[in-house]
Amino acid sequence: MAKPAILWFRQDLRLADNPALAALEGRPLLPVYFLEEGPEAPGGAARWWLHHSLAALGRALAARGAPLLLLRGDARQVLPALAAEIGAEEVHAGRRTEPLARRRDAETHAALQDAGVRLVLHRTALLHEPHLVRTGGGKPYSVYTPFARAVFGLLEELPPPLPAPDRLVPASGARQGLGLDSLHLLPRPPEPNWAADFPAHWTPGEEGAAARLDAFLEQGLAGYADRRNDPAAERGTSGLSPHLHLGEVSPRQVWHAAKAKGGRGLETFLKELLWREFSHHLLWHRPEMPEAPLRPEFAAFPWRPDAALLRAWQRGRTGYPIVDAGMRQLWRIGWMHNRVRMIAASFLVKHLLQPWQDGEAWFRDTLVDADIAANSASWQWVAGCGADAAPYFRIFNPVLQGEKFDAAGAYVRRWCPELARLPDRWIHRPHEAPEMVLRGAGVTLGRNYPAPVMGLSEGRAAALAAFAAVKGTEAA
């Protein structure tokens, strides 16, 4: 009989289209998940999702005969010991791109090698290996459009997804694992239950991911090119990002399913999948991206850290309705519409001149889809300091952005209900509304809705001056 092996789950919490699992077909295996703490550990909202995703994965594995072993600790120490316990000579896992995970993988490989065990890494989370996509000159890409064009070509012969196994052969001799609750992934008293509204919006796990994908293909893909910028639209976006982040569905499954469905929104949607690939490509080649600007001149940017301004932004109390609606949506359901993410992020780093790292850290803690690569790449894009970044002088006006993308105010009325009775004309600019209109709508600025924390002209002028100083330093 074949030697048993360890299947190390990480950001691939699924059974279908899992190359690491498929490589062990017919062999006795021990499925295991380690909760590792550290700088790149999941934030609060992602931990809520992880709890329920692990529960779903555990049920699926148990139903096929190989229960999931849950442990807390350092894989560099625990994996060699586990391999010895069950007589395994191989550990199979998905490859990760985060800098700390890559360092740990190298050290884990060395520790396993010393124990006579082989670590085999598979591509489980991306469409293509980030280190293999190169320009004609052999360099990594730093601009999205040529990257996407190159990857589109590489994916012409993307193999079909792999099926989930019907049965698994369990390895014997492993230690007793931890109960899921003992990982303490959920909010616990006296901490408030900030995740109370999450279950009404999300169904973590492989089945939930499949249902979300099916619903989007049927109801959202055809109109995706137009509706993806409407934050109030039902099925305007796919909602797949948290499922993709923890690998409950593979990007290959999504790619093939979308192409099979087809329709007018297909190309736009596939390009969004490739932005995710581009973010991981950048992170692989620029591991400093989560902390440091990719454009070195921005290390001297004259930020104006202000705890009160940061707090007002975090809590959706800036006085600009489209920003506040987005930040409140984020707090309530652990997710924010992508268009509003850009508006809210631009307001923080440009009008308020708060460091982009503070915004990135808040999103990392409050987003259920908090992917280090996509989060840091997107924040650097908005701040103007990243690869293929938005021009430094592109400063979103939150009032005009609200009027453009939420013209009837449906999104703002949902997440800022104190403004619900304002007429459409004033829903995005309550600070400019006549007093009689405010009174008629039950709005008292500074009491039940905040006055603006910063004037838009003032904030824009300060941002342009700060960026000009950086550009002057670059020229010098």
Side-chain angles (χ1 to χ4, degrees):
M1 188 174 183
K3 284 273 191 178
I6 294 172
L7 176 60
W8 181 17
F9 282 99
R10 302 200 286 180
Q11 288 180 325
D12 36 36
L13 305 186
R14 65 181 184 277
L15 302 187
D17 199 36
N18 189 328
L21 173 59
L24 300 176
E25 182 178 1
R27 294 174 60 181
L29 61 88
L30 174 63
V32 61
Y33 181 89
F34 296 99
L35 182 64
E36 295 185 282
E37 301 292 355
E40 294 178 357
R47 290 169 76 89
W48 174 90
W49 192 288
L50 176 60
H51 175 97
H52 295 287
S53 187
L54 288 173
L57 178 66
R59 291 191 296 270
L61 285 166
R64 288 164 172 81
L68 178 64
L69 180 68
L70 295 175
L71 296 172
R72 182 193 296 273
D74 190 327
R76 293 168 292 190
Q77 281 83 51
V78 180
L79 277 174
L82 271 182
E85 288 171 18
I86 68 169
E89 295 180 350
E90 291 182 345
V91 174
H92 289 251
R95 185 176 289 107
R96 294 181 61 173
T97 60
E98 302 92 337
L100 179 58
R102 289 173 61 187
R103 289 195 296 272
R104 284 179 172 171
D105 281 356
E107 294 165 359
T108 301
H109 169 78
L112 286 169
Q113 192 172 46
D114 288 345
V117 180
R118 192 163 69 108
L119 176 62
V120 184
L121 298 180
H122 303 262
R123 185 174 74 250
T124 60
L126 296 172
L127 291 167
H128 205 276
E129 297 288 8
H131 57 286
L132 295 181
V133 185
R134 299 277 180 164
T135 68
K139 295 182 179 180
Y141 283 93
S142 59
V143 178
Y144 167 74
T145 300
F147 171 86
R149 190 181 303 118
V151 175
F152 259 123
L154 292 170
L155 296 178
E156 285 296 326
E157 298 181 4
L158 183 68
L162 301 164
D166 293 324
R167 296 292 300 170
L168 297 172
V169 181
S172 60
R175 69 187 71 176
Q176 183 72 29
L178 300 173
L180 180 57
D181 288 341
S182 66
L183 298 183
H184 303 311
L185 296 170
L186 301 178
R188 292 185 296 161
E191 182 183 9
N193 185 13
W194 41 261
D197 291 340
F198 285 16
H201 296 272
W202 305 109
T203 305
E206 189 169 4
E207 290 185 4
R212 175 77 67 165
L213 175 58
D214 289 345
F216 172 68
L217 295 178
E218 290 301 318
Q219 304 168 28
L221 181 59
Y224 182 76
D226 300 320
R227 291 163 58 84
R228 70 190 179 108
N229 283 317
D230 180 357
E234 292 292 331
R235 299 293 179 193
T237 63
S238 72
L240 288 168
S241 53
H243 297 289
L244 282 165
H245 170 58
L246 279 180
E248 298 166 346
V249 64
S250 74
R252 180 162 64 175
Q253 288 173 294
V254 176
W255 185 274
H256 277 290
K259 292 199 75 172
K261 184 67 176 178
R264 192 165 52 86
L266 175 63
E267 184 176 351
T268 303
F269 177 65
L270 295 182
K271 286 179 178 178
E272 294 295 331
L273 289 177
L274 294 185
W275 172 258
R276 178 177 181 270
E277 298 280 319
F278 182 55
S279 298
H280 284 270
H281 175 81
L282 291 175
L283 183 62
W284 184 275
H285 295 287
R286 302 292 299 274
E288 74 274 18
M289 187 170 70
E291 291 88 26
L294 298 186
R295 295 174 62 182
E297 66 271 20
F298 276 82
F301 190 88
W303 301 110
R304 300 178 185 175
D306 185 310
L309 288 177
L310 178 62
R311 185 69 172 173
W313 176 82
Q314 291 172 337
R315 294 302 185 191
R317 304 288 296 171
T318 70
Y320 292 100
I322 191 70
V323 174
D324 293 342
M327 300 307 295
R328 295 185 197 185
Q329 180 186 32
L330 173 61
W331 184 253
R332 287 278 300 279
I333 70 169
W335 184 87
M336 190 196 308
H337 187 276
N338 188 59
R339 170 58 59 177
V340 186
R341 292 189 198 197
M342 289 190 284
I343 299 168
S346 176
F347 183 77
L348 180 73
V349 299
K350 293 186 175 177
H351 282 96
L352 300 185
L353 285 179
Q354 301 305 293
W356 65 265
Q357 292 94 336
D358 289 346
E360 192 273 343
W362 183 252
F363 273 23
R364 193 186 300 189
D365 192 45
T366 54
L367 282 168
V368 291
D369 62 1
D371 180 276
I372 291 175
N375 195 31
S376 56
S378 297
W379 272 96
Q380 292 220 34
W381 183 88
V382 170
C385 60
D388 199 16
Y392 73 92
F393 50 80
R394 186 181 186 185
I395 301 173
F396 288 136
N397 180 313
V399 173
L400 298 181
Q401 289 284 305
E403 292 174 340
K404 180 177 181 180
F405 295 109
D406 186 36
Y411 180 75
V412 164
R413 288 187 172 91
R414 178 177 182 184
W415 298 107
C416 298
E418 67 270 38
L419 302 178
R421 291 164 55 196
L422 278 175
D424 291 358
R425 178 181 176 185
W426 304 109
I427 189 68
H428 291 289
R429 48 180 81 226
H431 55 288
E432 297 177 11
E435 186 59 34
M436 183 180 299
V437 172
L438 292 174
R439 283 202 305 270
V443 177
T444 304
L445 295 182
R447 181 174 295 179
N448 66 344
Y449 187 73
V453 296
M454 174 74 67
L456 294 182
S457 297
E458 174 191 356
R460 177 179 172 81
L464 289 174
F467 281 110
V470 169
K471 297 299 285 185
T473 300
E474 179 186 16

